[in-house]
Amino acid sequence: MVFLGPPGSGKGTQAKKLSQELGLMHISTGDILRDAVKNQTELGKKAKEYMDRGELVPDNLMIALIEEVMPKEGGFILDGFPRTVPQALALEEMLRGYKRDVDKVFLFDLSEEVVVERLSGRLTCSQCGAVYHRKYNPPKQEGVCDLCGGKLIQREDDKEEVVRRRYRVYKEQTSPLVEFYQKKNKLIRLDASQDIQEVNKRLLEVLRDGH
Ligand code: AP5
């Protein structure tokens, strides 16, 4: 499965939930990159400047990364990949090599104004990466992760001007994938403005009934 959608549309929140509910592997390119930046690996050093500016990391780096982490069997959710047409073509080719294919692509539909509101309230655990929202999904204790007790912080790229740039980059470089997957009859639109439980319910419904 592929989760596609603008920044802050809830892809990560739903991917974490669904992967637990259905025993699927969750591959978030954003999380992998943030780990690489934190650990100052070669990839992290190359990716950091793009991420801080709210731009996409070059396709060749991202494709090599996915090649490395993609499991050869079992179901998985790709959260944040592909994000460009060349990435989608590379994914097709990789999967073909294992006689597999993308099953469904969920499009998380959300307007720019809601994106900005969601991301300005997002809190992320500095240790385990768990995601909260000041208003919509608050931690039990202010500033502390429910899961690991880590400190909650605001992501560098969640400042309003960077969020608006990320949204623009999504529109220009990622949204052509909507048509790409529509033509292949794989695209399913989700109303991502619903609350977290509703979106999860809808995802499970589509996976159960196929539509
Ligand atoms: P990445 O981390 O993938 O960022 P993103 O796609 O911009 O997505 P986000 O993580 O910001 O949002 P999300 O949709 O997961 O929403 P979330 O669930 O957290 O990528 C970061 C950077 O890495 C990119 O800018 C780029 O530089 C680079 N990168 C990554 N992949 C790449 C690729 N393939 N190619 C090139 N570069 C790449 O939710 C957001 C907030 O809303 C949270 O606070 C949450 O609690 C809340 N919330 C969630 N759902 C709801 C709901 N239904 N109602 C109310 N609140 C909600």
Side-chain angles (χ1 to χ4, degrees), residues 7-8 11-13 29 34 55 80 83 87 122 132 166 194:
K11 304 180 297 294
T13 300
T29 43
R34 276 183 291 281
E55 288 165 13
R83 251 174 156 103
Q87 290 182 17
R122 171 161 64 183
Y132 300 86
R166 284 162 62 202
Q194 306 265 324

Side-chain angles (χ1 to χ4, degrees), residues 63-94:
I63 292 166
L65 169 67
I66 286 295
E67 243 160 355
E68 206 179 299
V69 300
M70 195 173 72
K72 298 174 184 49
E73 52 191 42
F76 58 94
I77 303 172
L78 280 176
D79 160 15
F81 185 96
R83 251 174 156 103
T84 62
V85 172
Q87 290 182 17
L89 292 170
L91 175 65
E92 263 186 354
E93 201 184 308
M94 262 182 255

Side-chain angles (χ1 to χ4, degrees), residues 19-181:
S19 63
Q20 280 168 10
E21 285 163 344
L22 303 180
L24 301 170
M25 187 173 169
H26 171 203
I27 302 175
S28 157
T29 43
D31 286 350
I32 297 173
L33 289 171
R34 276 183 291 281
D35 261 356
V37 170
K38 198 164 137 190
N39 297 323
Q40 297 187 357
T41 65
E42 277 311 303
L43 171 67
K45 284 181 203 156
K46 286 180 190 150
K48 188 176 183 319
E49 55 179 304
Y50 295 101
M51 295 173 78
D52 287 349
R53 285 201 300 263
E55 288 165 13
L56 295 184
V57 174
D59 285 340
N60 61 334
L61 292 179
M62 296 312 300
I63 292 166
L65 169 67
I66 286 295
E67 243 160 355
E68 206 179 299
V69 300
M70 195 173 72
K72 298 174 184 49
E73 52 191 42
F76 58 94
I77 303 172
L78 280 176
D79 160 15
F81 185 96
R83 251 174 156 103
T84 62
V85 172
Q87 290 182 17
L89 292 170
L91 175 65
E92 263 186 354
E93 201 184 308
M94 262 182 255
L95 287 170
R96 208 177 302 125
Y98 301 122
K99 299 204 167 26
R100 310 184 74 187
D101 199 0
V102 169
D103 184 19
K104 289 188 170 53
V105 177
F106 288 98
L107 172 64
F108 287 63
D109 241 345
L110 203 64
S111 70
E112 180 172 355
E113 287 322 306
V114 184
V115 162
V116 172
E117 198 219 344
R118 286 221 187 142
L119 291 186
S120 60
R122 171 161 64 183
L123 297 166
T124 306
C125 177
S126 54
Q127 273 179 38
C128 74
V131 172
Y132 300 86
H133 191 280
R134 284 195 179 92
K135 188 162 141 200
Y136 303 120
N137 183 22
K140 291 193 183 90
Q141 193 187 334
E142 202 185 313
V144 181
C145 178
D146 293 353
L147 302 178
C148 75
K151 188 174 171 226
L152 300 182
I153 52 162
Q154 186 181 36
R155 256 168 60 174
E156 274 297 312
D157 59 351
D158 277 352
K159 298 189 177 110
E160 180 168 341
E161 60 174 277
V162 185
V163 169
R164 291 203 187 268
R165 185 161 330 122
R166 284 162 62 202
Y167 192 85
R168 225 172 25 248
V169 166
Y170 167 78
K171 282 282 173 200
E172 287 166 12
Q173 299 184 49
T174 307
S175 69
L177 290 179
V178 172
E179 201 188 332
F180 180 93
Y181 285 119

